[in-house]
Amino acid sequence: MTAVTTTEPFRRVSPGRAFLGVLGRDVAVTGKELGSFISQVLVQPFFLLFVFGKVLSELGYIAPGYAQLLLPGLLALNAFLVAVQAVALPLVIDFSYTKEIEDRLLAPLSTRMVAVEKIVFGAIRGLIGSLVMIPVGYLVLDEVSWNLAGLPLSALLLVLGALAGGASGLVIGTLVSPRRINIVFAVVITPLLFTGSTQFPFLQIGSLRWFQVICALNPITYVAEGLRGALTPQIPHLPAWLCLAALVFACVLFGAIGIRGFVRRALD
Amino acid sequence: MSTQTQLTPTGTGRPAAAAVEVTDLVKRYPKAKVNAVDGISFAVAPGEVFGLLGPNGAGKTTTIGVLTTRVRKTSGYAAVTGIDVAGDPVGARSVIGVVPQRPNLDRSLDAKGNLVWHAAYHGVPRARRGPLADELLERMGLTDKAHTNPDELSGGQAQRLIIARGLMHGPRVLFLDEPSTGLDPQARLFVHDRVAELAANGVTIVLTTHDMDEAAKLSDRVGIVDHGELLKLDTPANLVAGLSGSATVDLDVTGLDPEHLRGRLSAVRGTAGAEVLAIPDDGPARLRIRVDGEAGAALPGLLEEVTTAGGHVSDVGLGEPTLEDVFIDLTGRGLR
């Protein structure tokens, strides 16, 4: 290019730099409120872990090995749900009221990539939310023994689970009106919480066939089951390939719907 | 990899591309019965201040929306610095700065953070962001507000911060949508001064307004827009000079049908035209009469005509034709 102008030369910003700029803003804002973010993320799983993993098993109502089963489930749960919430709620408010996202929509970046940034950012929050559960698990539970060889696969599963969560958040955030977001959260999040095979192994609920079918539709199931296969293989679990395939499918499906919704909201 | 060919000449020695070019632009929103923008064409030269003047809903903001890549055109062509905004929105975004009608500052960041992160979105090198932000905060009189949350800024301060934000990446064209709506007179003046300063520094500016004084004061040329169409385009002085009549007389009248009176006044000798400005439910109707020669000389004849018709004049105002009269002349109604 030999563009010579009388004023300053036209410099085309690389989309990568613009993307990192937009992502950097979100990360910086999260960094500023890290304390409140972590506590927000930890409270619910901590009590689930404490009551089901510690209190009930100490009282003898729950078999001693249950904590082993529960902890990977809670990692999966946080990776997905924290990502959903990180994307959905701010987007609903941004698009409907504050319009604060407009300045980023005017960055030299395709509108689709701004949507992808939202997914990636949600996934980063989901991953943080998931990883902070590990030390908590070790502190609260008496016996946690993981198959360390399964860590790389676990990391991959968590990344995919968090991305699927971010993509689902994008779907909710662009399709739901602000007046309905509370009801959607109540009606969607709670069922996701209990149908993600986080508190039970998927394969062992075959006697409740209908419930098993519902659980099979929840992406969290595949994160939880995959993590069990990697970290606690002695517990019956779905095969790794199936979990990975299901999560990739969820990322692509929700990603495509979410990005379409985002572009529709961003451009008139 | 395919590379896009830039057809517009940017080399020296050739005429520079228009800063903004709009040709037969049409925008119809889904489910709308009429076009929001209905075949508008204009071009803005580099360094020019161009004003789009019209009432709310005329299509000004939609036109700006298309030019700033936020609204998808239905048909026609729109380009900034030779870049087709529909074909290369990403390229267009890097050469434009946008000051929207509604404040949209990032409230998760302080004032300086809004500037610094905006620069980051636009790939301004990290080391330059801070000093640049400080410089612009100073120019906009906001140095002591650098670490204030946008929520705590006054309307005028927020507007100046938004202008500063729009300038952080050194845009070629700055779009200002209703830049002083909702500001108190002092804040308005400050914003006007900043816009004039930018223009003096060679930034191309496209602004929309429904305020004729603002349009006349700031713009080199004004396009008058109504119902999605560009009715007239010229310098403010030429637009006003093009009107018949060299002075205006405003009359507040009671006791008569305003339309009937308008007809009678139009026929008075020396009258170039008459319009009904306002018909309030209670109180007098206001009529504006454009006259040849001096307003004072025409007044007795007009007052006599009202009295003869059986009306009562409660107030008189004399003036010179303004852009508002141009608008009234073109559309038969006032701007507000």
Side-chain angles (χ1 to χ4, degrees), chain B residues 75-108:
Chain B
S75 68
Y77 176 74
V80 282
T81 66
I83 302 169
D84 178 357
V85 294
D88 182 10
V90 175
R93 283 171 197 155
S94 58
V95 297
I96 60 169
V98 182
V99 177
Q101 195 166 358
R102 256 191 62 188
N104 61 359
L105 289 162
D106 193 334
R107 290 176 304 172
S108 304

Side-chain angles (χ1 to χ4, degrees), chain B residues 63-147:
Chain B
T63 305
I64 296 274
V66 172
L67 283 166
T68 56
T69 74
R70 290 296 314 283
V71 175
R72 280 182 282 209
K73 66 177 185 188
T74 304
S75 68
Y77 176 74
V80 282
T81 66
I83 302 169
D84 178 357
V85 294
D88 182 10
V90 175
R93 283 171 197 155
S94 58
V95 297
I96 60 169
V98 182
V99 177
Q101 195 166 358
R102 256 191 62 188
N104 61 359
L105 289 162
D106 193 334
R107 290 176 304 172
S108 304
L109 306 169
D110 61 18
K112 188 174 172 182
N114 267 278
L115 303 189
V116 169
W117 280 108
H118 175 91
Y121 308 156
H122 286 267
V124 175
R126 188 181 292 269
R128 278 184 50 203
R129 293 174 203 160
L132 199 57
D134 289 332
E135 190 193 315
L136 278 165
L137 285 171
E138 201 194 325
R139 262 168 72 189
M140 294 292 161
L142 292 169
T143 301
D144 57 335
K145 301 289 178 192
H147 300 293

Side-chain angles (χ1 to χ4, degrees), chain A residues 1-13 15 17-26 28-29 32 93 95-111 263-268, chain B residues 4 6 10-12 27 29-30 68-73 83 88-96 98 100 102-110 114 117-118 120-126 128-129 165 169-170 172:
Chain A
M1 292 281 280
T2 53
V4 186
T5 53
T6 45
T7 57
E8 60 184 277
F10 172 56
R11 75 196 142 74
R12 187 172 275 271
V13 180
R17 284 190 70 166
F19 184 88
L20 287 180
V22 175
L23 184 61
R25 178 262 175 209
D26 280 344
V29 169
K32 276 203 298 189
I93 296 168
F95 273 132
S96 304
Y97 299 119
T98 67
K99 311 281 182 191
E100 283 175 39
I101 201 172
E102 280 180 349
D103 193 38
R104 279 163 272 163
L105 293 173
L106 287 169
L109 188 67
S110 80
T111 307
V263 172
R264 195 175 48 80
R265 294 296 298 269
L267 304 177
D268 278 328
Chain B
Q4 246 181 326
Q6 194 95 18
T10 48
T12 46
K27 172 64 185 180
Y29 288 104
T68 56
T69 74
R70 290 296 314 283
V71 175
R72 280 182 282 209
K73 66 177 185 188
I83 302 169
D88 182 10
V90 175
R93 283 171 197 155
S94 58
V95 297
I96 60 169
V98 182
R102 256 191 62 188
N104 61 359
L105 289 162
D106 193 334
R107 290 176 304 172
S108 304
L109 306 169
D110 61 18
N114 267 278
W117 280 108
H118 175 91
Y121 308 156
H122 286 267
V124 175
R126 188 181 292 269
R128 278 184 50 203
R129 293 174 203 160
R165 185 184 66 185
H169 58 291
R172 298 278 186 82

Side-chain angles (χ1 to χ4, degrees), chain B:
Chain B
M1 291 284 284
S2 69
T3 47
Q4 246 181 326
T5 9
Q6 194 95 18
L7 292 171
T8 321
T10 48
T12 46
R14 299 165 78 178
V20 174
E21 197 185 343
V22 174
T23 312
D24 297 329
L25 185 67
V26 174
K27 172 64 185 180
R28 183 187 288 246
Y29 288 104
K31 290 174 197 159
K33 287 198 176 73
V34 292
N35 293 337
V37 173
D38 197 10
I40 284 184
S41 303
F42 62 88
V44 181
E48 189 178 10
V49 180
F50 184 84
L52 282 171
L53 174 69
N56 292 328
K60 307 182 303 276
T61 297
T62 301
T63 305
I64 296 274
V66 172
L67 283 166
T68 56
T69 74
R70 290 296 314 283
V71 175
R72 280 182 282 209
K73 66 177 185 188
T74 304
S75 68
Y77 176 74
V80 282
T81 66
I83 302 169
D84 178 357
V85 294
D88 182 10
V90 175
R93 283 171 197 155
S94 58
V95 297
I96 60 169
V98 182
V99 177
Q101 195 166 358
R102 256 191 62 188
N104 61 359
L105 289 162
D106 193 334
R107 290 176 304 172
S108 304
L109 306 169
D110 61 18
K112 188 174 172 182
N114 267 278
L115 303 189
V116 169
W117 280 108
H118 175 91
Y121 308 156
H122 286 267
V124 175
R126 188 181 292 269
R128 278 184 50 203
R129 293 174 203 160
L132 199 57
D134 289 332
E135 190 193 315
L136 278 165
L137 285 171
E138 201 194 325
R139 262 168 72 189
M140 294 292 161
L142 292 169
T143 301
D144 57 335
K145 301 289 178 192
H147 300 293
T148 305
N149 188 279
D151 272 339
E152 287 150 34
L153 296 175
S154 72
Q157 290 165 343
Q159 187 67 328
R160 271 137 57 196
L161 183 61
I162 294 172
I163 294 175
R165 185 184 66 185
L167 294 171
M168 276 299 287
H169 58 291
R172 298 278 186 82
V173 185
L174 184 66
F175 290 92
L176 297 146
D177 197 0
E178 303 276 353
S180 62
T181 298
L183 301 187
D184 61 58
Q186 203 186 347
R188 236 169 86 88
L189 273 183
F190 197 96
V191 167
H192 285 177
D193 288 348
R194 297 289 81 73
V195 171
E197 196 177 280
L198 291 172
N201 289 335
V203 179
T204 307
I205 293 172
V206 176
L207 60 91
T208 75
T209 180
H210 60 265
D211 182 323
M212 48 165 181
D213 292 329
E214 185 168 273
K217 178 179 167 188
L218 296 177
S219 318
D220 296 321
R221 285 189 307 150
V222 172
I224 296 181
V225 186
D226 193 30
H227 297 307
E229 287 179 64
L230 187 67
L231 303 178
K232 211 151 194 181
L233 170 59
D234 211 328
T235 63
N238 283 350
L239 285 170
V240 174
L243 281 176
S244 52
S246 53
T248 61
V249 176
D250 285 5
L251 299 178
D252 285 6
V253 180
T254 46
L256 273 177
D257 172 48
E259 268 307 317
H260 170 69
L261 181 60
R262 191 188 70 81
R264 288 189 67 149
L265 289 174
S266 303
V268 173
R269 250 177 72 115
T271 298
E275 305 292 344
V276 179
L277 286 190
I279 311 176
D281 291 336
D282 52 340
R286 170 166 292 188
L287 286 94
R288 174 166 295 179
I289 303 99
R290 275 179 284 113
V291 296
D292 300 319
E294 266 188 66
L299 191 56
L302 294 170
L303 292 177
E304 195 189 320
E305 184 67 24
V306 176
T307 315
T308 314
H312 174 68
V313 176
S314 59
D315 202 358
V316 175
L318 307 182
E320 288 175 354
T322 64
L323 283 181
E324 181 155 28
D325 299 302
V326 178
F327 186 84
I328 293 166
D329 188 51
L330 289 169
T331 66
R333 58 196 166 82
L335 267 169
R336 271 170 276 224

